Amino acid sequence: MDLSVAQGLLICLLILVPLLYEWSPSFKFFCKMAFFYSWILALAVLAIPICAVRGRNVENMKVLQFMLLHIKYLYGIKIDVKGWENFPLKEPYVVVSNHQSSIDLLGMMEVLPSRCVPIAKRELMYAGTVGLACWLAGVIFINRKKTDDAISVMSETAQTMLKEDVRVWVFPEGTRNQDGSMLPFKRGAFHLAVQARVPIIPVVMSSYKEFYNIKENKFTTGTCVVRILPRIDTKGLTPDDVADLADRTRQTMLSTFLQLSSTPCPASGEHAGHTPCSAERETHDVQ
Ligand SMILES: CCCCCCCCCCCCCCCCC(=O)SCCNC(=O)CCNC(=O)[C@H](O)C(C)(C)COP(=O)(O)OP(=O)(O)OC[C@H]1O[C@@H](n2cnc3c(N)ncnc32)[C@H](O)[C@@H]1OP(=O)(O)O
Ligand SMILES: CCCCCCCC/C=C\CCCCCCCC(=O)OC[C@@H](O)COP(=O)(O)O
């Protein structure tokens, strides 16, 4: 009897959960996000022993990158990369990118150059297996609540970049933002580039609004364009130039973001209205 009650409940669940998943966008959103985080926590369990062989080493970022690349297929997210030629091959540089959501991880892993480590909030270090995997891959953690600490970590980073030939990826908005624009840029990334005398490479990820919106609990399939912009040189600049450098970079990134995100394609095909027009993308390509 007990067994049949349990079986009955299980059958109800097996029917109800998929129905709820299809009918309730909030439930679907919750499931997709929960799976996203759980899957990455689980993948980190596999990554940790592989990375531990080398110890804390930026080369381990390749292991994480390789293990995360498939997630876009699980979620039906097409990532369309433009401007590969703007990632120079040899020298260190600072990549700055807009930050809409934790799913930026997908676009980031798609284009992450070799020997490039992200700067992340310190809280991520305590995110269980993910924190340990990030530490082993050389992610640089900063304490956003202590500006002096954060600045001194970034100054050390300027030395490390040059001594150990490392590139750094920074989200200069400093927090996630999905309001259709970009927050004012914090200046750490630009001080870093000026101190290390290395170029800045802006990377813009187009708006997720057509397929992902946390406020509307929307998470469907779609396309994100990741555009790598030409380098911005910092040679000869001083700390006094940092504010202007940050403003110029933001302006360039914002106009690219708006262009990439605003032009829906004429109704055609599966992703109609989700992707920027290819005609518009071509215009960018020849710039
Ligand atoms: C297979 C399994 C896999 C498992 C793992 C999967 C994960 C894989 C890895 C992926 C990891 C991805 C992680 C992404 C995480 C993204 C984040 O966490 S975003 C949040 C953290 N990042 C940032 O905050 C970066 C941007 N922030 C800054 O640059 C800030 O400026 C700051 C350095 C943090 C300081 O911020 P704040 O305290 O708010 O102060 P400000 O107003 O910005 O600055 C005050 C003042 O100081 C000047 N200044 C800033 N930096 C420097 C410097 N380096 N040198 C000198 N001076 C500096 C600044 O100019 C201000 O002065 P001003 O006079 O007002 O100009
Ligand atoms: C035992 C502890 C378990 C903790 C579980 C934590 C789950 C974490 C699991 C997977 C993390 C996936 C990697 C996400 C990487 C992106 C991180 C991110 O986007 O951080 C946000 C940060 O940029 C800005 O933070 P805020 O917007 O200011 O907030």
Side-chain angles (χ1 to χ4, degrees):
M1 184 62 186
D2 275 349
L3 191 64
S4 57
V5 171
Q7 279 172 337
L9 275 173
L10 188 66
I11 290 167
C12 281
L13 267 180
L14 286 176
I15 295 169
L16 276 179
V17 169
L19 283 179
L20 199 58
Y21 185 83
E22 281 313 318
W23 282 341
S24 162
S26 327
F27 185 68
K28 189 172 192 167
F29 183 84
F30 169 81
C31 290
K32 283 189 147 189
M33 286 317 287
F35 180 79
F36 181 76
Y37 290 122
S38 313
W39 187 238
I40 294 174
L41 280 166
L43 287 171
V45 175
L46 285 180
I48 287 167
I50 302 172
C51 294
V53 173
R54 269 194 284 234
R56 182 163 154 90
N57 190 317
V58 293
E59 291 294 337
N60 282 332
M61 192 50 78
K62 278 209 182 79
V63 176
L64 305 195
Q65 185 178 18
F66 179 75
M67 290 181 76
L68 292 167
L69 279 174
H70 68 284
I71 297 181
K72 62 176 184 285
Y73 299 115
L74 298 182
Y75 283 85
I77 295 173
K78 185 171 178 288
I79 301 177
D80 192 356
V81 182
K82 299 280 164 189
W84 276 118
E85 67 283 2
N86 292 321
F87 267 147
L89 292 175
K90 295 255 159 56
E91 59 190 315
Y93 43 86
V94 176
V95 179
V96 291
S97 157
N98 56 319
H99 197 14
Q100 300 177 69
S101 149
S102 46
I103 64 166
D104 292 343
L105 190 63
L106 306 183
M108 179 188 197
M109 290 301 158
E110 195 71 14
V111 300
L112 191 78
S114 60
R115 299 189 68 77
C116 182
V117 287
I119 288 192
K121 59 177 182 180
R122 208 166 70 123
E123 291 82 344
L124 193 65
M125 194 162 73
Y126 304 111
T129 53
V130 166
L132 182 54
C134 286
W135 183 83
L136 284 166
V139 171
I140 299 158
F141 296 103
I142 54 165
N143 185 347
R144 293 185 295 182
K145 291 181 197 111
K146 292 195 178 159
T147 303
D148 289 348
D149 279 8
I151 290 177
S152 78
V153 169
M154 291 186 79
S155 297
E156 274 172 40
T157 304
Q159 311 289 324
T160 315
M161 286 179 79
L162 300 173
K163 264 194 292 191
E164 294 175 27
D165 182 28
V166 172
R167 290 129 191 191
V168 176
W169 185 299
V170 187
F171 292 97
E173 290 171 278
T175 189
R176 287 165 285 185
N177 164 51
Q178 223 201 335
D179 71 357
S181 179
M182 280 181 206
L183 297 175
F185 279 3
K186 293 185 171 287
R187 294 182 180 158
F190 306 93
H191 278 289
L192 176 61
V194 167
Q195 281 167 17
R197 296 201 181 90
V198 297
I200 288 167
I201 312 247
V203 169
V204 179
M205 300 190 210
S206 65
S207 171
Y208 301 155
K209 67 176 186 247
E210 296 298 338
F211 64 92
Y212 174 94
N213 188 306
I214 192 163
K215 285 188 195 129
E216 294 169 17
N217 285 332
K218 179 160 80 176
F219 199 166
T220 60
T221 57
T223 300
C224 170
V225 181
V226 179
R227 176 147 202 106
I228 303 158
L229 292 171
R231 56 191 274 167
I232 298 173
D233 280 313
T234 64
K235 288 230 166 69
L237 298 189
T238 68
D240 290 340
D241 302 311
V242 162
D244 176 60
L245 177 66
D247 289 348
R248 274 191 291 132
T249 309
R250 181 175 179 277
Q251 212 44 58
T252 308
M253 289 174 67
L254 184 58
S255 64
T256 304
F257 175 77
L258 295 174
Q259 275 177 307
L260 287 180
S261 312
S262 67
T263 322
C265 288
S268 71
E270 197 189 344
H271 292 303
H274 291 193
T275 352
C277 287
S278 53
E280 190 224 4
R281 286 192 225 135
E282 293 310 316
T283 319
H284 276 281
D285 281 343
V286 293
Q287 275 174 1

